[in-house]
Short mmCIF file of all heavy atoms in Angstrom, two decimals:
data_model
loop_
_atom_site.label_atom_id
_atom_site.label_comp_id
_atom_site.label_asym_id
_atom_site.label_seq_id
_atom_site.Cartn_x
_atom_site.Cartn_y
_atom_site.Cartn_z
N ALA Y 1 -0.32 -43.62 26.47
CA ALA Y 1 -0.34 -44.40 27.56
C ALA Y 1 -0.68 -43.70 29.06
O ALA Y 1 -1.42 -44.16 29.82
CB ALA Y 1 1.05 -45.11 27.87
N ARG Y 2 -0.19 -42.37 28.97
CA ARG Y 2 -0.47 -41.58 30.21
C ARG Y 2 -1.92 -41.18 30.34
O ARG Y 2 -2.41 -40.80 31.33
CB ARG Y 2 0.44 -40.41 30.11
CG ARG Y 2 1.81 -40.57 30.40
CD ARG Y 2 2.77 -39.41 30.16
NE ARG Y 2 4.03 -39.72 30.66
CZ ARG Y 2 5.24 -39.05 30.16
NH1 ARG Y 2 5.02 -38.26 29.22
NH2 ARG Y 2 6.37 -39.31 30.70
N ARG Y 3 -2.64 -41.27 29.18
CA ARG Y 3 -4.03 -41.02 29.21
C ARG Y 3 -4.98 -41.97 29.72
O ARG Y 3 -6.22 -41.71 30.12
CB ARG Y 3 -4.51 -40.58 27.75
CG ARG Y 3 -3.88 -39.43 27.22
CD ARG Y 3 -4.55 -39.04 25.80
NE ARG Y 3 -3.75 -37.93 25.14
CZ ARG Y 3 -3.10 -38.09 24.07
NH1 ARG Y 3 -3.09 -39.19 23.57
NH2 ARG Y 3 -2.54 -37.05 23.56
N HIS Y 4 -4.44 -43.18 29.97
CA HIS Y 4 -5.18 -44.26 30.55
C HIS Y 4 -5.51 -43.95 32.10
O HIS Y 4 -4.56 -43.75 32.84
CB HIS Y 4 -4.48 -45.67 30.45
CG HIS Y 4 -4.38 -46.28 29.21
ND1 HIS Y 4 -5.57 -46.78 28.50
CD2 HIS Y 4 -3.33 -46.52 28.32
CE1 HIS Y 4 -5.05 -47.22 27.47
NE2 HIS Y 4 -3.82 -47.18 27.17
N ALA Y 5 -6.77 -43.94 32.45
CA ALA Y 5 -7.23 -43.65 33.75
C ALA Y 5 -6.89 -44.86 34.75
O ALA Y 5 -6.54 -44.64 35.90
CB ALA Y 5 -8.75 -43.39 33.89
N ASN Y 6 -6.95 -46.04 34.10
CA ASN Y 6 -6.57 -47.14 34.94
C ASN Y 6 -5.08 -47.41 35.04
O ASN Y 6 -4.45 -47.53 33.99
CB ASN Y 6 -7.17 -48.43 34.29
CG ASN Y 6 -7.05 -49.60 35.08
OD1 ASN Y 6 -6.05 -50.37 34.97
ND2 ASN Y 6 -8.04 -50.03 35.85
N ALA Y 7 -4.58 -47.45 36.18
CA ALA Y 7 -3.19 -47.66 36.53
C ALA Y 7 -2.53 -48.80 35.83
O ALA Y 7 -1.44 -48.90 35.33
CB ALA Y 7 -2.89 -47.54 37.88
N ALA Y 8 -3.23 -50.01 35.93
CA ALA Y 8 -2.81 -51.23 35.38
C ALA Y 8 -2.62 -51.14 33.81
O ALA Y 8 -1.69 -51.63 33.29
CB ALA Y 8 -3.69 -52.42 35.77
N ASP Y 9 -3.69 -50.60 33.15
CA ASP Y 9 -3.64 -50.35 31.70
C ASP Y 9 -2.36 -49.48 31.39
O ASP Y 9 -1.66 -49.65 30.35
CB ASP Y 9 -4.87 -49.70 31.23
CG ASP Y 9 -6.08 -50.74 31.39
OD1 ASP Y 9 -5.78 -51.95 31.41
OD2 ASP Y 9 -7.21 -50.25 31.23
N ARG Y 10 -2.14 -48.50 32.12
CA ARG Y 10 -1.08 -47.46 31.92
C ARG Y 10 0.24 -48.25 32.06
O ARG Y 10 1.14 -48.07 31.07
CB ARG Y 10 -1.25 -46.39 32.91
CG ARG Y 10 -0.19 -45.14 32.69
CD ARG Y 10 -0.70 -43.92 33.33
NE ARG Y 10 -0.62 -44.07 34.75
CZ ARG Y 10 -1.85 -44.13 35.46
NH1 ARG Y 10 -3.09 -43.89 34.97
NH2 ARG Y 10 -1.83 -44.20 36.75
N LEU Y 11 0.38 -48.98 33.06
CA LEU Y 11 1.68 -49.76 33.23
C LEU Y 11 1.96 -50.85 32.07
O LEU Y 11 3.01 -51.00 31.58
CB LEU Y 11 1.79 -50.53 34.58
CG LEU Y 11 2.17 -49.55 35.80
CD1 LEU Y 11 1.92 -50.46 37.06
CD2 LEU Y 11 3.55 -49.06 35.63
N ASN Y 12 0.86 -51.41 31.78
CA ASN Y 12 0.98 -52.50 30.60
C ASN Y 12 1.34 -51.79 29.37
O ASN Y 12 2.25 -52.48 28.54
CB ASN Y 12 -0.40 -53.18 30.45
CG ASN Y 12 -0.68 -54.17 31.49
OD1 ASN Y 12 0.23 -54.75 32.09
ND2 ASN Y 12 -1.96 -54.50 31.69
N GLU Y 13 0.90 -50.70 29.04
CA GLU Y 13 1.32 -49.94 27.83
C GLU Y 13 2.76 -49.58 27.85
O GLU Y 13 3.46 -49.61 26.83
CB GLU Y 13 0.34 -48.86 27.46
CG GLU Y 13 0.64 -48.01 26.17
CD GLU Y 13 0.66 -49.04 24.93
OE1 GLU Y 13 -0.12 -49.93 24.99
OE2 GLU Y 13 1.42 -48.73 24.09
N MET Y 14 3.22 -49.14 29.05
CA MET Y 14 4.48 -48.71 29.19
C MET Y 14 5.42 -49.98 29.03
O MET Y 14 6.58 -49.64 28.41
CB MET Y 14 4.74 -48.00 30.56
CG MET Y 14 4.15 -46.58 30.57
SD MET Y 14 4.37 -45.78 32.19
CE MET Y 14 3.46 -44.14 31.93
N ARG Y 15 5.07 -51.02 29.58
CA ARG Y 15 5.92 -52.25 29.39
C ARG Y 15 5.95 -52.51 27.85
O ARG Y 15 7.04 -53.02 27.52
CB ARG Y 15 5.25 -53.37 30.17
CG ARG Y 15 5.20 -53.33 31.73
CD ARG Y 15 4.84 -54.56 32.40
NE ARG Y 15 4.54 -54.43 33.84
CZ ARG Y 15 3.46 -54.21 34.46
NH1 ARG Y 15 2.38 -54.33 33.66
NH2 ARG Y 15 3.38 -54.07 35.64
N SER Y 16 5.06 -52.43 27.14
CA SER Y 16 4.95 -52.59 25.74
C SER Y 16 5.94 -51.76 25.04
O SER Y 16 6.75 -52.20 24.15
CB SER Y 16 3.58 -52.55 25.22
OG SER Y 16 3.59 -52.63 23.82
N ILE Y 17 6.04 -50.55 25.51
CA ILE Y 17 6.86 -49.59 24.77
C ILE Y 17 8.38 -49.90 25.21
O ILE Y 17 9.19 -49.88 24.22
CB ILE Y 17 6.57 -48.08 25.46
CG1 ILE Y 17 5.28 -47.69 24.78
CG2 ILE Y 17 7.64 -47.15 24.96
CD1 ILE Y 17 4.72 -46.30 25.56
N VAL Y 18 8.59 -50.23 26.40
CA VAL Y 18 10.07 -50.67 26.62
C VAL Y 18 10.42 -51.95 25.88
O VAL Y 18 11.62 -52.02 25.52
CB VAL Y 18 10.17 -50.83 28.36
CG1 VAL Y 18 11.54 -51.47 28.57
CG2 VAL Y 18 9.82 -49.67 28.89
N LYS Y 19 9.52 -52.84 25.89
CA LYS Y 19 9.76 -54.16 25.22
C LYS Y 19 10.13 -53.78 23.66
O LYS Y 19 11.18 -54.33 23.10
CB LYS Y 19 8.57 -55.03 25.19
CG LYS Y 19 8.78 -56.31 24.34
CD LYS Y 19 7.60 -57.14 24.30
CE LYS Y 19 7.74 -58.24 23.32
NZ LYS Y 19 6.54 -59.21 23.14
N ASP Y 20 9.36 -53.03 23.03
CA ASP Y 20 9.54 -52.65 21.60
C ASP Y 20 10.83 -51.83 21.51
O ASP Y 20 11.58 -52.08 20.48
CB ASP Y 20 8.41 -51.85 21.11
CG ASP Y 20 7.27 -52.71 20.94
OD1 ASP Y 20 7.31 -53.85 20.89
OD2 ASP Y 20 6.13 -52.09 20.65
N ALA Y 21 11.25 -51.09 22.44
CA ALA Y 21 12.52 -50.33 22.42
C ALA Y 21 13.84 -51.20 22.46
O ALA Y 21 14.74 -51.12 21.92
CB ALA Y 21 12.60 -49.26 23.56
N VAL Y 22 13.58 -52.43 23.39
CA VAL Y 22 14.69 -53.26 23.44
C VAL Y 22 14.73 -54.13 22.20
O VAL Y 22 15.83 -54.39 21.60
CB VAL Y 22 14.43 -54.28 24.68
CG1 VAL Y 22 15.34 -55.37 24.73
CG2 VAL Y 22 14.68 -53.38 26.01
N CYS Y 23 13.58 -54.71 21.80
CA CYS Y 23 13.46 -55.67 20.72
C CYS Y 23 13.87 -55.01 19.27
O CYS Y 23 14.39 -55.63 18.32
CB CYS Y 23 12.12 -56.25 20.59
SG CYS Y 23 11.88 -57.49 21.98
N SER Y 24 13.62 -53.60 19.18
CA SER Y 24 13.84 -52.93 17.99
C SER Y 24 15.39 -52.52 17.87
O SER Y 24 15.81 -51.87 16.82
CB SER Y 24 13.01 -51.86 17.65
OG SER Y 24 13.02 -50.79 18.76
N GLY Y 25 16.15 -52.62 18.89
CA GLY Y 25 17.57 -52.40 18.92
C GLY Y 25 17.92 -51.00 19.37
O GLY Y 25 19.04 -50.50 19.10
N HIS Y 26 17.16 -50.42 20.31
CA HIS Y 26 17.51 -49.13 20.94
C HIS Y 26 18.26 -49.24 22.31
O HIS Y 26 18.96 -48.42 22.76
CB HIS Y 26 16.33 -48.22 21.06
CG HIS Y 26 15.86 -47.79 19.75
ND1 HIS Y 26 16.57 -46.77 18.84
CD2 HIS Y 26 14.66 -48.17 18.99
CE1 HIS Y 26 15.79 -46.60 17.84
NE2 HIS Y 26 14.78 -47.44 17.87
N LEU Y 27 17.87 -50.34 22.95
CA LEU Y 27 18.31 -50.58 24.37
C LEU Y 27 18.76 -52.07 24.47
O LEU Y 27 18.21 -52.93 23.75
CB LEU Y 27 17.25 -50.44 25.44
CG LEU Y 27 16.69 -48.99 25.56
CD1 LEU Y 27 15.38 -49.03 26.55
CD2 LEU Y 27 17.54 -47.97 26.21
N LEU Y 28 19.98 -52.32 24.96
CA LEU Y 28 20.47 -53.69 25.25
C LEU Y 28 20.79 -53.91 26.57
O LEU Y 28 21.75 -53.39 27.28
CB LEU Y 28 21.66 -53.80 24.31
CG LEU Y 28 22.42 -55.22 24.44
CD1 LEU Y 28 21.44 -56.41 24.07
CD2 LEU Y 28 23.74 -55.14 23.54
N PRO Y 29 19.77 -54.64 27.35
CA PRO Y 29 20.12 -54.88 28.79
C PRO Y 29 21.38 -55.77 28.93
O PRO Y 29 21.58 -56.65 28.16
CB PRO Y 29 18.87 -55.68 29.18
CG PRO Y 29 17.82 -55.42 28.31
CD PRO Y 29 18.53 -55.15 26.88
N LEU Y 30 22.22 -55.50 29.97
CA LEU Y 30 23.36 -56.24 30.16
C LEU Y 30 23.25 -57.15 31.37
O LEU Y 30 23.24 -58.38 31.29
CB LEU Y 30 24.56 -55.29 30.37
CG LEU Y 30 24.94 -54.38 29.07
CD1 LEU Y 30 26.17 -53.59 29.41
CD2 LEU Y 30 25.35 -55.38 27.99
N ILE Y 31 23.19 -56.46 32.53
CA ILE Y 31 23.24 -57.32 33.73
C ILE Y 31 22.33 -56.70 34.80
O ILE Y 31 21.91 -55.53 34.82
CB ILE Y 31 24.64 -57.41 34.43
CG1 ILE Y 31 25.14 -55.84 34.68
CG2 ILE Y 31 25.66 -58.02 33.56
CD1 ILE Y 31 26.42 -55.93 35.55
N HIS Y 32 21.90 -57.51 35.79
CA HIS Y 32 21.28 -57.11 36.99
C HIS Y 32 22.17 -57.38 38.23
O HIS Y 32 22.86 -58.41 38.22
CB HIS Y 32 19.97 -57.80 37.08
CG HIS Y 32 18.79 -57.47 36.22
ND1 HIS Y 32 17.84 -58.20 35.90
CD2 HIS Y 32 18.66 -56.28 35.40
CE1 HIS Y 32 17.00 -57.67 35.06
NE2 HIS Y 32 17.55 -56.42 34.69
N LEU Y 33 22.10 -56.47 39.20
CA LEU Y 33 22.78 -56.65 40.38
C LEU Y 33 21.95 -56.98 41.51
O LEU Y 33 21.09 -56.30 41.84
CB LEU Y 33 23.56 -55.38 40.77
CG LEU Y 33 24.28 -55.27 42.10
CD1 LEU Y 33 25.36 -56.19 42.31
CD2 LEU Y 33 24.85 -53.86 42.25
N SER Y 34 22.07 -58.25 42.18
CA SER Y 34 21.25 -58.56 43.24
C SER Y 34 21.78 -57.89 44.46
O SER Y 34 23.02 -57.74 44.86
CB SER Y 34 21.41 -60.02 43.45
OG SER Y 34 20.92 -60.73 42.38
N THR Y 35 20.93 -57.54 45.39
CA THR Y 35 21.17 -56.82 46.69
C THR Y 35 19.87 -56.73 47.53
O THR Y 35 18.79 -57.32 47.04
CB THR Y 35 21.73 -55.40 46.48
OG1 THR Y 35 22.20 -54.96 47.71
CG2 THR Y 35 20.65 -54.38 46.04
N VAL Y 36 19.78 -56.30 48.64
CA VAL Y 36 18.73 -56.21 49.49
C VAL Y 36 18.26 -54.75 49.50
O VAL Y 36 19.00 -53.86 49.74
CB VAL Y 36 19.15 -56.64 50.92
CG1 VAL Y 36 17.77 -56.48 51.75
CG2 VAL Y 36 19.40 -58.13 50.85
#
């Protein structure tokens, strides 16, 4: 992902990695805290 020269492509691939880490059972999001 880091080899992508285009920033948007780089971010999209990183999002895909995070999604797979969550969906495959390595990370479990719990809550978000709202603030300013």
